[in-house]
Amino acid sequence: MTSSPAETSLTAPSSDIPAPTPTYSPKPAEKVTPIPMDPRAADIVADMSVAERAGQCILVGVVPSDSPEYIANLIDANCLAGIFVLGHWTKKSKLATMLNAVNSVSPHGIKPIVATDHEGGDIQNIRIPGVDRLPSQEALAQMSPAKAQSVAKRGAQQLADLGVHMIFSPVADVTDPDLGTKNKPIAKHHRGFGTDPHKCGQYAASVIAGHRKAGIISTTKHFPGIGRIAENTDFKASGITDTKTTWHDPYLQSFRMAFNAGSEAVMIASAYYSEIDPGTLGLFSPKIMTDMLRDDFGYQGLIVSDDLGNSVSVFSVDGGNRARKFVSAGGDLAITADPGLAGPMIRALTSMAESSSGNKRLNDAARHVINVKLAHSLTKQGKRKS
């Protein structure tokens, strides 16, 4: 749950959410709308060194106190995928200085992605003048889907005008009505669209449509859902096991609808799923990312991790190996709120290439990153041909 607000700065929780009436049971073979792979992506990856491919699989967080020169040099020297804007940015000049520095580098002719959390409510990192404070997703769900799309489009366009390419939104997690606001990562922060899978999917699709109209990459999160856990994986390593969600669970409808709406990326949760892959965090699970998401769902977009830098849930794994475990299991873009982990992560990912299977998986991950960049004119090859 990247950029979850601190527990001490919460707004008052909403009242308990009414129980849903699930209306959908997906068929095991039902596939989502495919995202095309640009054939040029493979050519670009083939022309990169192993270390450069590894760098393209890492996105680092930046906060207002970070040195723009340091971050730009880090990206340039390591061919990193880009940055995600973390914390609260309230000064336009400071943000502009950071983005200008980041956009001044283009390692291997590949521009950095600039991403951020922009759900609305508490979860909005860019708060400079000229950028609207968005309503929470819980509030968006009280609007019509058309109005929600309009709000999302305006917010996304404001960020696009600043040079942002990717938003970590929408939140497609369906909240368990038995938990209500005891679900700390979603319901307590007003981050979700509710308890009905179809409604959550409908509004997630509206947000994605708004992002697409603004030219922004949507990142649907947090697959396969964190609406059935009590604790927040950013702050806790216990109380984060979902004991209900199954492989073909009705609660997954919201994600299918988001994917069918054209979500170019999906973020994987750092929770446990005892009915799917017991004992393995979602973002380290090949069953969840490869067998379930890629093979069963047929999703071919970019698979992004939740934070691998500062989230307490992943602290039992050393920094570099967090990225390796994520990519080895089927992930593409490892994000870390700690830029200092970029080096160890690159070394761990580079070591994957020592085996043929590891090299193939690293190449595939880098190819998915480059594919998104081609679609958004972030490589020397330009925009994908229609």
Side-chain angles (χ1 to χ4, degrees), residues 258-282:
F259 300 154
N260 283 330
S263 183
E264 293 179 83
V266 58
M267 182 178 288
I268 309 299
S270 54
Y272 294 100
Y273 299 87
S274 61
E275 295 299 308
I276 301 173
D277 191 1
T280 303
L281 289 173

Side-chain angles (χ1 to χ4, degrees), residues 174-341:
V174 181
T175 303
D176 186 340
D178 292 338
L179 282 174
T181 53
K182 293 179 181 177
N183 168 246
K184 292 180 181 178
I186 303 299
K188 189 171 184 179
H189 297 287
H190 317 289
R191 297 175 70 190
F193 294 121
T195 60
D196 180 78
H198 183 271
K199 182 177 181 179
C200 290
Q202 181 183 30
Y203 279 86
S206 292
V207 170
I208 291 164
H211 290 174
R212 287 172 67 85
K213 289 182 177 180
I216 285 285
I217 303 162
S218 294
T219 308
T220 300
K221 58 188 187 183
H222 309 77
F223 189 85
I226 53 173
R228 285 169 158 169
I229 62 175
E231 298 294 343
N232 189 326
T233 59
D234 283 348
F235 309 120
K236 300 285 186 178
S238 61
I240 59 170
T241 298
D242 178 332
T243 61
K244 294 183 177 181
T245 299
T246 59
W247 196 290
H248 299 295
D249 200 289
Y251 271 37
L252 297 176
Q253 183 196 10
S254 58
F255 288 96
R256 290 180 183 271
M257 292 175 70
F259 300 154
N260 283 330
S263 183
E264 293 179 83
V266 58
M267 182 178 288
I268 309 299
S270 54
Y272 294 100
Y273 299 87
S274 61
E275 295 299 308
I276 301 173
D277 191 1
T280 303
L281 289 173
L283 44 62
F284 296 150
S285 171
K287 287 185 179 179
I288 287 174
M289 290 188 286
T290 300
D291 300 343
M292 186 176 178
L293 188 55
R294 289 284 192 223
D295 296 342
D296 190 41
F297 273 60
Y299 183 72
Q300 294 303 314
L302 184 68
I303 298 180
V304 182
S305 76
D306 205 337
D307 178 37
L308 294 171
N310 293 338
S311 291
V312 173
S313 62
V314 299
F315 278 1
S316 62
V317 179
D318 72 83
N321 273 329
R322 296 171 198 167
R324 177 172 178 152
K325 284 171 70 70
F326 169 69
V327 173
S328 294
D332 302 318
L333 184 60
I335 70 173
T336 171
D338 179 3
L341 287 179

Side-chain angles (χ1 to χ4, degrees), residues 80-102:
L80 298 184
I83 64 168
F84 68 100
V85 178
L86 187 62
H88 291 167
W89 294 70
T90 57
K91 295 183 179 179
K92 191 171 185 177
S93 60
K94 185 175 284 290
L95 179 65
T97 300
M98 175 61 76
L99 297 190
N100 287 339
V102 167

